Amino acid sequence: ISQKLFQELLLLVQYAMAQQDIRYYLNGLLLVLDGSKIKVVATDGHRLSYAEGALSSTHDKREVILPRKAVLELSRQLGSSDAEVQVEIYASQVRLRYGSSELVTKIIDGKFPDFNRVIPTNYQKTITLGRQDLLQSLQRAAILSNEKFRGVRVNLADTEMRITANNPEQEEAEEELEIQYQQDPIDIGFNVTYLIDVLTNIQDEKVN
């Protein structure tokens, strides 16, 4: 696989890895070879990130969990070039060769959650937004969110998405974004840190 594609995949999901979770298998990243696809998945039990890329050859299905430290080191060292990284999977280790470097890591022994069951497929309500506009609105609202819960409320109506946050000091933030939305109104709460994380790590101009 090219270093560029592998690095992009890691950067798209690594922020969702758990840190020092008692469920040790979450403190890493699931790497899946499945036919001509490579998939990477990370979750800390609250949010899950998933990305996939195409391989130039077909492989038997294999799944391994790479430790958090190895993933962070890899995403830092790999270059954004078409030079190849060779991934060799063994019973208890993964060896990666790229440029003049070689990284060998143990794999985490455990059963990763079935991510296919976690990701819903029957969404009825969808909007499209500019990623940067949404990110900046959330960042402004986050300033006045409760420091402990980091909550924001998102309200969707016909032509407007309203983001609100408040804290125990009676301070309140409100942001409004124009949208095209033809479904029933929604009022829903999120941890704003999770939303900011994903919008920071993807690079597309528009998000659904």
Side-chain angles (χ1 to χ4, degrees):
I1 186 173
S2 73
Q3 289 192 35
K4 179 181 181 182
L5 176 57
F6 201 25
Q7 184 186 54
E8 283 176 358
L9 292 174
L10 296 179
L11 291 174
L12 279 170
V13 302
Q14 67 178 28
Y15 59 87
M17 293 186 294
Q19 299 185 51
Q20 299 177 322
D21 197 294
I22 191 167
R23 297 163 294 180
Y24 57 92
Y25 49 85
L26 298 185
N27 300 317
L29 176 145
L30 179 68
L31 174 69
V32 181
L33 296 181
D34 188 2
S36 59
K37 288 183 177 178
I38 180 171
K39 304 173 182 178
V40 288
V41 191
T43 180
D44 59 7
H46 299 285
R47 34 89 182 264
L48 179 144
S49 55
Y50 166 94
E52 67 175 50
L55 296 171
S56 57
S57 54
T58 303
H59 301 266
D60 295 335
K61 188 164 185 180
R62 292 291 303 274
E63 295 187 4
V64 292
I65 304 174
L66 302 178
R68 177 185 174 84
K69 275 189 176 179
V71 172
L72 296 176
E73 192 61 34
L74 260 179
S75 59
R76 191 176 64 81
Q77 288 192 16
L78 291 175
S80 56
S81 72
D82 292 326
E84 288 188 346
V85 51
Q86 187 175 2
V87 184
E88 300 173 6
I89 299 174
Y90 300 97
S92 60
Q93 291 182 329
V94 171
R95 176 161 62 182
L96 302 110
R97 306 172 193 258
Y98 44 97
S100 58
S101 301
E102 184 173 304
L103 187 148
V104 180
T105 176
K106 286 183 177 178
I107 56 180
I108 296 176
D109 184 24
K111 179 64 177 167
F112 202 84
D114 183 355
F115 61 92
N116 290 306
R117 289 177 57 191
V118 175
I119 303 172
T121 56
N122 58 343
Y123 285 111
Q124 300 298 315
K125 302 176 175 71
T126 304
I127 57 171
T128 301
L129 283 165
R131 179 183 67 88
Q132 202 65 37
D133 293 338
L134 179 57
L135 174 60
Q136 290 173 355
S137 291
L138 290 167
Q139 287 171 332
R140 287 191 292 267
I143 295 169
L144 297 184
S145 67
N146 185 306
E147 288 187 13
K148 182 178 180 183
F149 300 109
R150 300 292 287 160
V152 294
R153 293 211 68 79
V154 176
N155 183 274
L156 298 180
D158 289 345
T159 59
E160 184 179 80
M161 177 180 193
R162 184 181 294 123
I163 301 166
T164 56
N166 53 51
N167 59 38
E169 284 75 48
Q170 307 300 312
E171 298 169 321
E172 187 170 316
E174 184 174 305
E175 290 280 331
E176 293 179 359
L177 290 165
E178 272 190 32
I179 58 170
Q180 298 296 317
Y181 180 69
Q182 306 298 325
Q183 304 286 337
D184 295 332
I186 299 177
D187 185 24
I188 186 170
F190 291 106
N191 180 323
V192 70
T193 304
Y194 295 161
L195 298 180
I196 289 173
D197 278 350
V198 69
L199 291 169
T200 302
N201 282 280
I202 58 178
Q203 300 303 318
D204 306 65
E205 286 186 20
K206 297 283 186 181
V207 292
N208 293 328

mmCIF file with all atom_site columns, all heavy atoms in Angstrom, residues 162-184:
data_model
loop_
_atom_site.group_PDB
_atom_site.id
_atom_site.type_symbol
_atom_site.label_atom_id
_atom_site.label_alt_id
_atom_site.label_comp_id
_atom_site.label_asym_id
_atom_site.label_entity_id
_atom_site.label_seq_id
_atom_site.pdbx_PDB_ins_code
_atom_site.Cartn_x
_atom_site.Cartn_y
_atom_site.Cartn_z
_atom_site.occupancy
_atom_site.B_iso_or_equiv
_atom_site.pdbx_formal_charge
_atom_site.auth_seq_id
_atom_site.auth_comp_id
_atom_site.auth_asym_id
_atom_site.auth_atom_id
_atom_site.pdbx_PDB_model_num
ATOM 1   N N   . ARG A 1 162 ? -29.521 25.341 14.512 1.00 0.00 ? 162 ARG A N   1
ATOM 2   C CA  . ARG A 1 162 ? -29.136 26.189 15.642 1.00 0.00 ? 162 ARG A CA  1
ATOM 3   C C   . ARG A 1 162 ? -28.316 25.366 16.625 1.00 0.00 ? 162 ARG A C   1
ATOM 4   O O   . ARG A 1 162 ? -28.720 24.272 17.021 1.00 0.00 ? 162 ARG A O   1
ATOM 5   C CB  . ARG A 1 162 ? -30.375 26.771 16.330 1.00 0.00 ? 162 ARG A CB  1
ATOM 6   C CG  . ARG A 1 162 ? -30.018 27.746 17.461 1.00 0.00 ? 162 ARG A CG  1
ATOM 7   C CD  . ARG A 1 162 ? -31.246 28.313 18.160 1.00 0.00 ? 162 ARG A CD  1
ATOM 8   N NE  . ARG A 1 162 ? -32.031 29.149 17.274 1.00 0.00 ? 162 ARG A NE  1
ATOM 9   C CZ  . ARG A 1 162 ? -33.324 28.944 17.005 1.00 0.00 ? 162 ARG A CZ  1
ATOM 10  N NH1 . ARG A 1 162 ? -33.963 27.924 17.540 1.00 0.00 ? 162 ARG A NH1 1
ATOM 11  N NH2 . ARG A 1 162 ? -33.979 29.740 16.195 1.00 0.00 ? 162 ARG A NH2 1
ATOM 12  N N   . ILE A 1 163 ? -27.159 25.884 16.995 1.00 0.00 ? 163 ILE A N   1
ATOM 13  C CA  . ILE A 1 163 ? -26.271 25.229 17.960 1.00 0.00 ? 163 ILE A CA  1
ATOM 14  C C   . ILE A 1 163 ? -26.224 26.090 19.212 1.00 0.00 ? 163 ILE A C   1
ATOM 15  O O   . ILE A 1 163 ? -25.924 27.281 19.128 1.00 0.00 ? 163 ILE A O   1
ATOM 16  C CB  . ILE A 1 163 ? -24.849 25.071 17.383 1.00 0.00 ? 163 ILE A CB  1
ATOM 17  C CG1 . ILE A 1 163 ? -24.890 24.245 16.085 1.00 0.00 ? 163 ILE A CG1 1
ATOM 18  C CG2 . ILE A 1 163 ? -23.911 24.413 18.395 1.00 0.00 ? 163 ILE A CG2 1
ATOM 19  C CD1 . ILE A 1 163 ? -23.597 24.325 15.280 1.00 0.00 ? 163 ILE A CD1 1
ATOM 20  N N   . THR A 1 164 ? -26.550 25.507 20.366 1.00 0.00 ? 164 THR A N   1
ATOM 21  C CA  . THR A 1 164 ? -26.531 26.273 21.616 1.00 0.00 ? 164 THR A CA  1
ATOM 22  C C   . THR A 1 164 ? -25.705 25.546 22.672 1.00 0.00 ? 164 THR A C   1
ATOM 23  O O   . THR A 1 164 ? -25.595 24.317 22.668 1.00 0.00 ? 164 THR A O   1
ATOM 24  C CB  . THR A 1 164 ? -27.959 26.501 22.164 1.00 0.00 ? 164 THR A CB  1
ATOM 25  O OG1 . THR A 1 164 ? -28.602 25.239 22.331 1.00 0.00 ? 164 THR A OG1 1
ATOM 26  C CG2 . THR A 1 164 ? -28.778 27.363 21.222 1.00 0.00 ? 164 THR A CG2 1
ATOM 27  N N   . ALA A 1 165 ? -25.131 26.334 23.559 1.00 0.00 ? 165 ALA A N   1
ATOM 28  C CA  . ALA A 1 165 ? -24.366 25.781 24.685 1.00 0.00 ? 165 ALA A CA  1
ATOM 29  C C   . ALA A 1 165 ? -24.517 26.722 25.864 1.00 0.00 ? 165 ALA A C   1
ATOM 30  O O   . ALA A 1 165 ? -24.696 27.929 25.704 1.00 0.00 ? 165 ALA A O   1
ATOM 31  C CB  . ALA A 1 165 ? -22.895 25.633 24.311 1.00 0.00 ? 165 ALA A CB  1
ATOM 32  N N   . ASN A 1 166 ? -24.455 26.167 27.083 1.00 0.00 ? 166 ASN A N   1
ATOM 33  C CA  . ASN A 1 166 ? -24.471 27.018 28.270 1.00 0.00 ? 166 ASN A CA  1
ATOM 34  C C   . ASN A 1 166 ? -23.656 26.348 29.372 1.00 0.00 ? 166 ASN A C   1
ATOM 35  O O   . ASN A 1 166 ? -23.236 25.199 29.239 1.00 0.00 ? 166 ASN A O   1
ATOM 36  C CB  . ASN A 1 166 ? -25.904 27.310 28.736 1.00 0.00 ? 166 ASN A CB  1
ATOM 37  C CG  . ASN A 1 166 ? -26.703 26.039 28.925 1.00 0.00 ? 166 ASN A CG  1
ATOM 38  O OD1 . ASN A 1 166 ? -26.254 25.114 29.606 1.00 0.00 ? 166 ASN A OD1 1
ATOM 39  N ND2 . ASN A 1 166 ? -27.882 25.978 28.315 1.00 0.00 ? 166 ASN A ND2 1
ATOM 40  N N   . ASN A 1 167 ? -23.433 27.092 30.440 1.00 0.00 ? 167 ASN A N   1
ATOM 41  C CA  . ASN A 1 167 ? -22.615 26.577 31.544 1.00 0.00 ? 167 ASN A CA  1
ATOM 42  C C   . ASN A 1 167 ? -23.189 27.050 32.881 1.00 0.00 ? 167 ASN A C   1
ATOM 43  O O   . ASN A 1 167 ? -24.132 27.853 32.912 1.00 0.00 ? 167 ASN A O   1
ATOM 44  C CB  . ASN A 1 167 ? -21.150 27.018 31.363 1.00 0.00 ? 167 ASN A CB  1
ATOM 45  C CG  . ASN A 1 167 ? -21.000 28.527 31.316 1.00 0.00 ? 167 ASN A CG  1
ATOM 46  O OD1 . ASN A 1 167 ? -21.675 29.256 32.040 1.00 0.00 ? 167 ASN A OD1 1
ATOM 47  N ND2 . ASN A 1 167 ? -20.098 29.019 30.479 1.00 0.00 ? 167 ASN A ND2 1
ATOM 48  N N   . PRO A 1 168 ? -22.653 26.554 33.997 1.00 0.00 ? 168 PRO A N   1
ATOM 49  C CA  . PRO A 1 168 ? -23.197 26.918 35.324 1.00 0.00 ? 168 PRO A CA  1
ATOM 50  C C   . PRO A 1 168 ? -23.092 28.401 35.646 1.00 0.00 ? 168 PRO A C   1
ATOM 51  O O   . PRO A 1 168 ? -23.770 28.880 36.558 1.00 0.00 ? 168 PRO A O   1
ATOM 52  C CB  . PRO A 1 168 ? -22.338 26.089 36.294 1.00 0.00 ? 168 PRO A CB  1
ATOM 53  C CG  . PRO A 1 168 ? -21.843 24.937 35.474 1.00 0.00 ? 168 PRO A CG  1
ATOM 54  C CD  . PRO A 1 168 ? -21.635 25.488 34.103 1.00 0.00 ? 168 PRO A CD  1
ATOM 55  N N   . GLU A 1 169 ? -22.257 29.145 34.915 1.00 0.00 ? 169 GLU A N   1
ATOM 56  C CA  . GLU A 1 169 ? -22.139 30.590 35.175 1.00 0.00 ? 169 GLU A CA  1
ATOM 57  C C   . GLU A 1 169 ? -23.229 31.393 34.453 1.00 0.00 ? 169 GLU A C   1
ATOM 58  O O   . GLU A 1 169 ? -23.135 32.624 34.354 1.00 0.00 ? 169 GLU A O   1
ATOM 59  C CB  . GLU A 1 169 ? -20.764 31.106 34.729 1.00 0.00 ? 169 GLU A CB  1
ATOM 60  C CG  . GLU A 1 169 ? -19.612 30.741 35.668 1.00 0.00 ? 169 GLU A CG  1
ATOM 61  C CD  . GLU A 1 169 ? -19.204 29.284 35.555 1.00 0.00 ? 169 GLU A CD  1
ATOM 62  O OE1 . GLU A 1 169 ? -19.016 28.791 34.423 1.00 0.00 ? 169 GLU A OE1 1
ATOM 63  O OE2 . GLU A 1 169 ? -19.105 28.618 36.608 1.00 0.00 ? 169 GLU A OE2 1
ATOM 64  N N   . GLN A 1 170 ? -24.227 30.686 33.917 1.00 0.00 ? 170 GLN A N   1
ATOM 65  C CA  . GLN A 1 170 ? -25.358 31.311 33.211 1.00 0.00 ? 170 GLN A CA  1
ATOM 66  C C   . GLN A 1 170 ? -24.934 31.986 31.909 1.00 0.00 ? 170 GLN A C   1
ATOM 67  O O   . GLN A 1 170 ? -25.624 32.888 31.405 1.00 0.00 ? 170 GLN A O   1
ATOM 68  C CB  . GLN A 1 170 ? -26.070 32.349 34.115 1.00 0.00 ? 170 GLN A CB  1
ATOM 69  C CG  . GLN A 1 170 ? -26.507 31.822 35.472 1.00 0.00 ? 170 GLN A CG  1
ATOM 70  C CD  . GLN A 1 170 ? -27.491 30.666 35.347 1.00 0.00 ? 170 GLN A CD  1
ATOM 71  O OE1 . GLN A 1 170 ? -28.443 30.747 34.597 1.00 0.00 ? 170 GLN A OE1 1
ATOM 72  N NE2 . GLN A 1 170 ? -27.236 29.582 36.077 1.00 0.00 ? 170 GLN A NE2 1
ATOM 73  N N   . GLU A 1 171 ? -23.807 31.573 31.357 1.00 0.00 ? 171 GLU A N   1
ATOM 74  C CA  . GLU A 1 171 ? -23.376 32.098 30.057 1.00 0.00 ? 171 GLU A CA  1
ATOM 75  C C   . GLU A 1 171 ? -23.939 31.193 28.967 1.00 0.00 ? 171 GLU A C   1
ATOM 76  O O   . GLU A 1 171 ? -24.056 29.979 29.156 1.00 0.00 ? 171 GLU A O   1
ATOM 77  C CB  . GLU A 1 171 ? -21.852 32.123 29.971 1.00 0.00 ? 171 GLU A CB  1
ATOM 78  C CG  . GLU A 1 171 ? -21.215 33.036 31.018 1.00 0.00 ? 171 GLU A CG  1
ATOM 79  C CD  . GLU A 1 171 ? -19.714 32.847 31.106 1.00 0.00 ? 171 GLU A CD  1
ATOM 80  O OE1 . GLU A 1 171 ? -19.251 31.695 31.013 1.00 0.00 ? 171 GLU A OE1 1
ATOM 81  O OE2 . GLU A 1 171 ? -19.015 33.856 31.274 1.00 0.00 ? 171 GLU A OE2 1
ATOM 82  N N   . GLU A 1 172 ? -24.281 31.802 27.831 1.00 0.00 ? 172 GLU A N   1
ATOM 83  C CA  . GLU A 1 172 ? -24.892 31.011 26.761 1.00 0.00 ? 172 GLU A CA  1
ATOM 84  C C   . GLU A 1 172 ? -24.358 31.436 25.399 1.00 0.00 ? 172 GLU A C   1
ATOM 85  O O   . GLU A 1 172 ? -24.130 32.623 25.147 1.00 0.00 ? 172 GLU A O   1
ATOM 86  C CB  . GLU A 1 172 ? -26.419 31.179 26.790 1.00 0.00 ? 172 GLU A CB  1
ATOM 87  C CG  . GLU A 1 172 ? -27.140 30.262 25.823 1.00 0.00 ? 172 GLU A CG  1
ATOM 88  C CD  . GLU A 1 172 ? -28.645 30.263 26.021 1.00 0.00 ? 172 GLU A CD  1
ATOM 89  O OE1 . GLU A 1 172 ? -29.093 30.213 27.184 1.00 0.00 ? 172 GLU A OE1 1
ATOM 90  O OE2 . GLU A 1 172 ? -29.364 30.319 24.998 1.00 0.00 ? 172 GLU A OE2 1
ATOM 91  N N   . ALA A 1 173 ? -24.149 30.429 24.541 1.00 0.00 ? 173 ALA A N   1
ATOM 92  C CA  . ALA A 1 173 ? -23.719 30.692 23.163 1.00 0.00 ? 173 ALA A CA  1
ATOM 93  C C   . ALA A 1 173 ? -24.792 30.181 22.212 1.00 0.00 ? 173 ALA A C   1
ATOM 94  O O   . ALA A 1 173 ? -25.436 29.168 22.483 1.00 0.00 ? 173 ALA A O   1
ATOM 95  C CB  . ALA A 1 173 ? -22.390 29.997 22.874 1.00 0.00 ? 173 ALA A CB  1
ATOM 96  N N   . GLU A 1 174 ? -24.991 30.903 21.107 1.00 0.00 ? 174 GLU A N   1
ATOM 97  C CA  . GLU A 1 174 ? -25.942 30.440 20.099 1.00 0.00 ? 174 GLU A CA  1
ATOM 98  C C   . GLU A 1 174 ? -25.385 30.733 18.717 1.00 0.00 ? 174 GLU A C   1
ATOM 99  O O   . GLU A 1 174 ? -24.947 31.849 18.433 1.00 0.00 ? 174 GLU A O   1
ATOM 100 C CB  . GLU A 1 174 ? -27.300 31.132 20.268 1.00 0.00 ? 174 GLU A CB  1
ATOM 101 C CG  . GLU A 1 174 ? -28.348 30.627 19.303 1.00 0.00 ? 174 GLU A CG  1
ATOM 102 C CD  . GLU A 1 174 ? -29.723 31.207 19.574 1.00 0.00 ? 174 GLU A CD  1
ATOM 103 O OE1 . GLU A 1 174 ? -30.211 31.074 20.712 1.00 0.00 ? 174 GLU A OE1 1
ATOM 104 O OE2 . GLU A 1 174 ? -30.314 31.794 18.629 1.00 0.00 ? 174 GLU A OE2 1
ATOM 105 N N   . GLU A 1 175 ? -25.371 29.704 17.867 1.00 0.00 ? 175 GLU A N   1
ATOM 106 C CA  . GLU A 1 175 ? -24.896 29.820 16.491 1.00 0.00 ? 175 GLU A CA  1
ATOM 107 C C   . GLU A 1 175 ? -26.010 29.373 15.556 1.00 0.00 ? 175 GLU A C   1
ATOM 108 O O   . GLU A 1 175 ? -26.753 28.433 15.869 1.00 0.00 ? 175 GLU A O   1
ATOM 109 C CB  . GLU A 1 175 ? -23.671 28.919 16.265 1.00 0.00 ? 175 GLU A CB  1
ATOM 110 C CG  . GLU A 1 175 ? -22.413 29.380 16.979 1.00 0.00 ? 175 GLU A CG  1
ATOM 111 C CD  . GLU A 1 175 ? -21.700 30.499 16.229 1.00 0.00 ? 175 GLU A CD  1
ATOM 112 O OE1 . GLU A 1 175 ? -21.815 30.538 14.984 1.00 0.00 ? 175 GLU A OE1 1
ATOM 113 O OE2 . GLU A 1 175 ? -21.036 31.316 16.880 1.00 0.00 ? 175 GLU A OE2 1
ATOM 114 N N   . GLU A 1 176 ? -26.115 30.025 14.385 1.00 0.00 ? 176 GLU A N   1
ATOM 115 C CA  . GLU A 1 176 ? -27.123 29.633 13.405 1.00 0.00 ? 176 GLU A CA  1
ATOM 116 C C   . GLU A 1 176 ? -26.469 29.406 12.048 1.00 0.00 ? 176 GLU A C   1
ATOM 117 O O   . GLU A 1 176 ? -25.635 30.192 11.612 1.00 0.00 ? 176 GLU A O   1
ATOM 118 C CB  . GLU A 1 176 ? -28.209 30.713 13.288 1.00 0.00 ? 176 GLU A CB  1
ATOM 119 C CG  . GLU A 1 176 ? -29.053 30.852 14.547 1.00 0.00 ? 176 GLU A CG  1
ATOM 120 C CD  . GLU A 1 176 ? -30.105 31.942 14.422 1.00 0.00 ? 176 GLU A CD  1
ATOM 121 O OE1 . GLU A 1 176 ? -30.142 32.595 13.350 1.00 0.00 ? 176 GLU A OE1 1
ATOM 122 O OE2 . GLU A 1 176 ? -30.870 32.145 15.375 1.00 0.00 ? 176 GLU A OE2 1
ATOM 123 N N   . LEU A 1 177 ? -26.847 28.291 11.394 1.00 0.00 ? 177 LEU A N   1
ATOM 124 C CA  . LEU A 1 177 ? -26.347 27.975 10.064 1.00 0.00 ? 177 LEU A CA  1
ATOM 125 C C   . LEU A 1 177 ? -27.530 27.720 9.137  1.00 0.00 ? 177 LEU A C   1
ATOM 126 O O   . LEU A 1 177 ? -28.506 27.088 9.521  1.00 0.00 ? 177 LEU A O   1
ATOM 127 C CB  . LEU A 1 177 ? -25.461 26.719 10.112 1.00 0.00 ? 177 LEU A CB  1
ATOM 128 C CG  . LEU A 1 177 ? -24.109 26.847 10.813 1.00 0.00 ? 177 LEU A CG  1
ATOM 129 C CD1 . LEU A 1 177 ? -23.534 25.463 11.108 1.00 0.00 ? 177 LEU A CD1 1
ATOM 130 C CD2 . LEU A 1 177 ? -23.141 27.636 9.952  1.00 0.00 ? 177 LEU A CD2 1
ATOM 131 N N   . GLU A 1 178 ? -27.426 28.200 7.897  1.00 0.00 ? 178 GLU A N   1
ATOM 132 C CA  . GLU A 1 178 ? -28.480 27.945 6.914  1.00 0.00 ? 178 GLU A CA  1
ATOM 133 C C   . GLU A 1 178 ? -28.373 26.523 6.392  1.00 0.00 ? 178 GLU A C   1
ATOM 134 O O   . GLU A 1 178 ? -27.287 26.054 6.062  1.00 0.00 ? 178 GLU A O   1
ATOM 135 C CB  . GLU A 1 178 ? -28.350 28.927 5.734  1.00 0.00 ? 178 GLU A CB  1
ATOM 136 C CG  . GLU A 1 178 ? -29.076 30.227 5.943  1.00 0.00 ? 178 GLU A CG  1
ATOM 137 C CD  . GLU A 1 178 ? -29.122 31.057 4.662  1.00 0.00 ? 178 GLU A CD  1
ATOM 138 O OE1 . GLU A 1 178 ? -29.178 30.466 3.564  1.00 0.00 ? 178 GLU A OE1 1
ATOM 139 O OE2 . GLU A 1 178 ? -29.080 32.290 4.778  1.00 0.00 ? 178 GLU A OE2 1
ATOM 140 N N   . ILE A 1 179 ? -29.515 25.818 6.310  1.00 0.00 ? 179 ILE A N   1
ATOM 141 C CA  . ILE A 1 179 ? -29.521 24.444 5.797  1.00 0.00 ? 179 ILE A CA  1
ATOM 142 C C   . ILE A 1 179 ? -30.750 24.224 4.922  1.00 0.00 ? 179 ILE A C   1
ATOM 143 O O   . ILE A 1 179 ? -31.691 25.010 4.951  1.00 0.00 ? 179 ILE A O   1
ATOM 144 C CB  . ILE A 1 179 ? -29.531 23.395 6.937  1.00 0.00 ? 179 ILE A CB  1
ATOM 145 C CG1 . ILE A 1 179 ? -30.758 23.593 7.842  1.00 0.00 ? 179 ILE A CG1 1
ATOM 146 C CG2 . ILE A 1 179 ? -28.244 23.418 7.731  1.00 0.00 ? 179 ILE A CG2 1
ATOM 147 C CD1 . ILE A 1 179 ? -30.992 22.469 8.834  1.00 0.00 ? 179 ILE A CD1 1
ATOM 148 N N   . GLN A 1 180 ? -30.727 23.158 4.153  1.00 0.00 ? 180 GLN A N   1
ATOM 149 C CA  . GLN A 1 180 ? -31.902 22.677 3.437  1.00 0.00 ? 180 GLN A CA  1
ATOM 150 C C   . GLN A 1 180 ? -32.351 21.395 4.140  1.00 0.00 ? 180 GLN A C   1
ATOM 151 O O   . GLN A 1 180 ? -31.638 20.397 4.133  1.00 0.00 ? 180 GLN A O   1
ATOM 152 C CB  . GLN A 1 180 ? -31.555 22.388 1.971  1.00 0.00 ? 180 GLN A CB  1
ATOM 153 C CG  . GLN A 1 180 ? -31.099 23.614 1.192  1.00 0.00 ? 180 GLN A CG  1
ATOM 154 C CD  . GLN A 1 180 ? -32.199 24.665 1.071  1.00 0.00 ? 180 GLN A CD  1
ATOM 155 O OE1 . GLN A 1 180 ? -33.358 24.316 0.804  1.00 0.00 ? 180 GLN A OE1 1
ATOM 156 N NE2 . GLN A 1 180 ? -31.853 25.928 1.269  1.00 0.00 ? 180 GLN A NE2 1
ATOM 157 N N   . TYR A 1 181 ? -33.522 21.436 4.751  1.00 0.00 ? 181 TYR A N   1
ATOM 158 C CA  . TYR A 1 181 ? -33.962 20.308 5.568  1.00 0.00 ? 181 TYR A CA  1
ATOM 159 C C   . TYR A 1 181 ? -35.475 20.177 5.474  1.00 0.00 ? 181 TYR A C   1
ATOM 160 O O   . TYR A 1 181 ? -36.198 21.115 5.781  1.00 0.00 ? 181 TYR A O   1
ATOM 161 C CB  . TYR A 1 181 ? -33.532 20.542 7.026  1.00 0.00 ? 181 TYR A CB  1
ATOM 162 C CG  . TYR A 1 181 ? -33.915 19.442 7.981  1.00 0.00 ? 181 TYR A CG  1
ATOM 163 C CD1 . TYR A 1 181 ? -33.317 18.187 7.914  1.00 0.00 ? 181 TYR A CD1 1
ATOM 164 C CD2 . TYR A 1 181 ? -34.892 19.655 8.946  1.00 0.00 ? 181 TYR A CD2 1
ATOM 165 C CE1 . TYR A 1 181 ? -33.678 17.173 8.786  1.00 0.00 ? 181 TYR A CE1 1
ATOM 166 C CE2 . TYR A 1 181 ? -35.259 18.649 9.828  1.00 0.00 ? 181 TYR A CE2 1
ATOM 167 C CZ  . TYR A 1 181 ? -34.648 17.412 9.745  1.00 0.00 ? 181 TYR A CZ  1
ATOM 168 O OH  . TYR A 1 181 ? -35.008 16.410 10.606 1.00 0.00 ? 181 TYR A OH  1
ATOM 169 N N   . GLN A 1 182 ? -35.949 19.021 5.030  1.00 0.00 ? 182 GLN A N   1
ATOM 170 C CA  . GLN A 1 182 ? -37.380 18.832 4.774  1.00 0.00 ? 182 GLN A CA  1
ATOM 171 C C   . GLN A 1 182 ? -38.029 17.793 5.695  1.00 0.00 ? 182 GLN A C   1
ATOM 172 O O   . GLN A 1 182 ? -39.105 17.305 5.406  1.00 0.00 ? 182 GLN A O   1
ATOM 173 C CB  . GLN A 1 182 ? -37.589 18.396 3.306  1.00 0.00 ? 182 GLN A CB  1
ATOM 174 C CG  . GLN A 1 182 ? -36.961 19.320 2.281  1.00 0.00 ? 182 GLN A CG  1
ATOM 175 C CD  . GLN A 1 182 ? -37.545 20.727 2.313  1.00 0.00 ? 182 GLN A CD  1
ATOM 176 O OE1 . GLN A 1 182 ? -38.736 20.892 2.569  1.00 0.00 ? 182 GLN A OE1 1
ATOM 177 N NE2 . GLN A 1 182 ? -36.718 21.726 2.066  1.00 0.00 ? 182 GLN A NE2 1
ATOM 178 N N   . GLN A 1 183 ? -37.382 17.437 6.782  1.00 0.00 ? 183 GLN A N   1
ATOM 179 C CA  . GLN A 1 183 ? -37.894 16.394 7.669  1.00 0.00 ? 183 GLN A CA  1
ATOM 180 C C   . GLN A 1 183 ? -38.450 17.005 8.959  1.00 0.00 ? 183 GLN A C   1
ATOM 181 O O   . GLN A 1 183 ? -38.468 18.217 9.127  1.00 0.00 ? 183 GLN A O   1
ATOM 182 C CB  . GLN A 1 183 ? -36.769 15.399 8.002  1.00 0.00 ? 183 GLN A CB  1
ATOM 183 C CG  . GLN A 1 183 ? -36.115 14.764 6.791  1.00 0.00 ? 183 GLN A CG  1
ATOM 184 C CD  . GLN A 1 183 ? -36.994 13.717 6.131  1.00 0.00 ? 183 GLN A CD  1
ATOM 185 O OE1 . GLN A 1 183 ? -37.888 13.160 6.758  1.00 0.00 ? 183 GLN A OE1 1
ATOM 186 N NE2 . GLN A 1 183 ? -36.755 13.457 4.851  1.00 0.00 ? 183 GLN A NE2 1
ATOM 187 N N   . ASP A 1 184 ? -38.881 16.128 9.880  1.00 0.00 ? 184 ASP A N   1
ATOM 188 C CA  . ASP A 1 184 ? -39.381 16.600 11.170 1.00 0.00 ? 184 ASP A CA  1
ATOM 189 C C   . ASP A 1 184 ? -38.263 17.306 11.934 1.00 0.00 ? 184 ASP A C   1
ATOM 190 O O   . ASP A 1 184 ? -37.087 16.941 11.817 1.00 0.00 ? 184 ASP A O   1
ATOM 191 C CB  . ASP A 1 184 ? -39.888 15.422 12.012 1.00 0.00 ? 184 ASP A CB  1
ATOM 192 C CG  . ASP A 1 184 ? -41.091 14.747 11.372 1.00 0.00 ? 184 ASP A CG  1
ATOM 193 O OD1 . ASP A 1 184 ? -41.821 15.436 10.638 1.00 0.00 ? 184 ASP A OD1 1
ATOM 194 O OD2 . ASP A 1 184 ? -41.280 13.534 11.613 1.00 0.00 ? 184 ASP A OD2 1
#
